[in-house]
Amino acid sequence: MRKVIMDVDTGSDDAVAILCAVLSGQLDVVGICTECLLPIQVTTDNTLKVLHLLGSKIPVYRGSHQAMVQNLNPLRKRKKVFNQPMVVDGKEVRMHMPFTLPLGDERPQEKDAASFYADYLRSSKEKVTIVLTGPMTNLALALLMEPSIVDNIEELVIMGGGYQMSNVTLCAESNVFRDPEAAQRVLNCGAKITLLPLDATHSASLNLAHQQRIQALGTPFSDFTVELMESRRAVYDRSQPLADETGSLVPLHDVICIAYLLRPEVLTLIRQCHCQVSCSDGPADGQTIIDNRSYTAPPNVHMALQADRDVLADFLVETLGKGGKA
């Protein structure tokens, strides 16, 4: 069974990724590290709440409170343009918020996330796959502390960046934008990397028929997923509308990383390429830059450019249906 560390900024789509990783029964999740999207204590508590819903005692390691570098430079100002509240039918809605699920008795480990990475990967007798679905601060710090741990990484599966798409700025995707120096360090660490940018995750956005299939399962996990999907749909419909001939679409970016590990056919177009991250105070800050020259630099990532929404939906139905009726 593949050993996996998850690194999340839970967050709605991260929550679905955690549900599927644990419910699949096909991955040995040895630890979950948390990153900032909401304040670190909120994303950590959200993660613990999802694990409590699952009845799981996977250890959780609280990560960094902020990015490695970007907040140290006063010229590099950040506008909070993501996760802004919206009023829908008189109710405030956010894509990511503190979950109303019960917290349970479990608490984060005393060891911080970067130290966990360094200690676990240094001593593990098996190589480990790391799934990163938020900023990459924790792993980047660990690589700075202990560069040799890269030898024990089987694969990095990363949701982040964009080839022809962006969201949080003109050029950048949110996970990379929130710590571009960390992303640059991780993408050039020498491990095998499968990168799932917005191009792939948007192509697998789910329609209402997919959501209804999940809702019909009637498990606590499917019910929670549908609740998250509804919030995401409301925000996307107003801020970044996605639709096809069936109506509005909802992307669940992060769960595609788990689907890829267990149903690799979910990714239908993958390109080997050389990718760097812009680390500057200009308009391209946080952009994932792809080398398209004929004499390209050596590839450092396998970049997914397209995914199959029906394969993803089938995976979600199969996985979230486990655990019995609510």
Side-chain angles (χ1 to χ4, degrees):
M1 188 179 291
R2 187 191 287 237
K3 288 191 178 295
V4 171
I5 296 171
M6 298 184 69
D7 198 298
V8 297
D9 57 351
T10 319
S12 55
D13 47 345
D14 305 79
V16 183
I18 295 168
L19 288 175
C20 288
V22 176
L23 288 170
S24 74
Q26 299 176 63
L27 299 172
D28 181 11
V29 183
V30 298
I32 301 180
C33 301
T34 60
E35 300 272 8
C36 280
L37 169 59
L38 303 167
I40 193 65
Q41 189 57 52
V42 176
T43 59
T44 302
D45 283 349
N46 277 353
T47 303
L48 290 165
K49 289 175 181 179
V50 174
L51 291 174
H52 181 65
L53 177 66
L54 287 159
S56 171
K57 296 189 180 298
I58 295 170
V60 173
Y61 300 88
R62 184 166 38 218
S64 175
H65 289 257
Q66 63 179 19
M68 290 174 61
V69 174
Q70 68 178 208
N71 296 325
L72 300 179
N73 185 346
L75 298 177
R76 207 170 174 196
K77 297 185 186 218
R78 293 282 166 259
K79 294 182 180 179
K80 294 185 180 295
V81 296
F82 50 88
N83 200 40
Q84 294 301 297
M86 296 184 180
V87 177
V88 180
D89 297 329
K91 179 182 177 182
E92 184 178 288
V93 176
R94 292 176 187 258
M95 194 177 302
H96 306 289
M97 63 188 77
F99 296 158
T100 58
L101 296 170
L103 181 57
D105 296 328
E106 298 298 318
R107 294 294 180 266
Q109 303 297 303
E110 290 188 10
K111 184 178 294 186
D112 64 272
S115 297
F116 164 68
Y117 272 127
D119 292 345
Y120 190 91
L121 292 171
R122 185 171 47 222
S123 61
S124 178
K125 296 179 181 178
E126 300 177 49
K127 290 196 173 188
V128 181
T129 294
I130 302 175
V131 176
L132 300 120
T133 58
M136 304 178 219
T137 311
N138 297 325
L139 182 57
L141 289 171
L143 288 165
L144 289 172
M145 292 162 55
E146 192 73 55
S148 65
I149 62 175
V150 73
D151 296 333
N152 242 356
I153 296 175
E154 180 176 0
E155 183 177 6
L156 299 177
V157 182
I158 302 171
M159 190 280 124
Y163 179 56
Q164 293 183 319
M165 299 188 70
S166 62
N167 57 12
V168 73
T169 72
L170 293 172
C171 301
E173 178 274 334
S174 175
N175 287 344
V176 175
F177 175 79
R178 281 181 281 136
D179 197 338
E181 282 81 11
Q184 174 72 353
R185 179 70 184 87
V186 170
L187 291 181
N188 289 283
C189 72
K192 176 187 176 183
I193 296 174
T194 299
L195 183 65
L196 281 69
L198 293 173
D199 310 72
T201 60
H202 275 202
S203 72
S205 297
L206 301 180
N207 60 31
L208 186 58
H210 295 136
Q211 181 175 317
Q212 289 169 341
R213 289 180 62 200
I214 296 169
Q215 188 166 12
L217 297 170
T219 70
F221 317 117
S222 62
D223 289 349
F224 182 52
T225 297
V226 169
E227 179 185 333
L228 297 175
M229 291 178 73
E230 280 298 302
S231 294
R232 293 178 67 82
R233 184 186 303 278
V235 173
Y236 269 99
D237 283 351
R238 285 156 180 78
S239 63
Q240 191 179 2
L242 301 171
D244 65 5
E245 65 279 0
T246 68
S248 69
L249 300 172
V250 179
L252 289 174
H253 310 282
D254 298 340
V255 74
I256 304 179
C257 294
I258 303 301
Y260 156 70
L261 290 176
L262 301 174
R263 304 288 186 276
E265 66 272 19
V266 74
L267 301 183
T268 57
L269 178 61
I270 301 175
R271 173 185 168 190
Q272 277 192 291
C273 59
H274 184 82
C275 179
Q276 299 293 328
V277 179
S278 175
C279 301
S280 68
D281 58 358
D285 193 21
Q287 180 180 9
T288 44
I289 303 170
I290 310 303
D291 189 349
N292 286 314
R293 298 174 297 176
S294 58
Y295 49 94
T296 177
N300 60 344
V301 301
H302 296 79
M303 178 176 278
L305 296 176
Q306 197 166 356
D308 189 318
R309 67 183 59 170
D310 292 323
V311 173
L312 177 62
D314 289 345
F315 170 73
L316 288 167
V317 169
E318 175 187 341
T319 308
L320 296 171
K322 299 177 180 180
K325 298 288 184 180

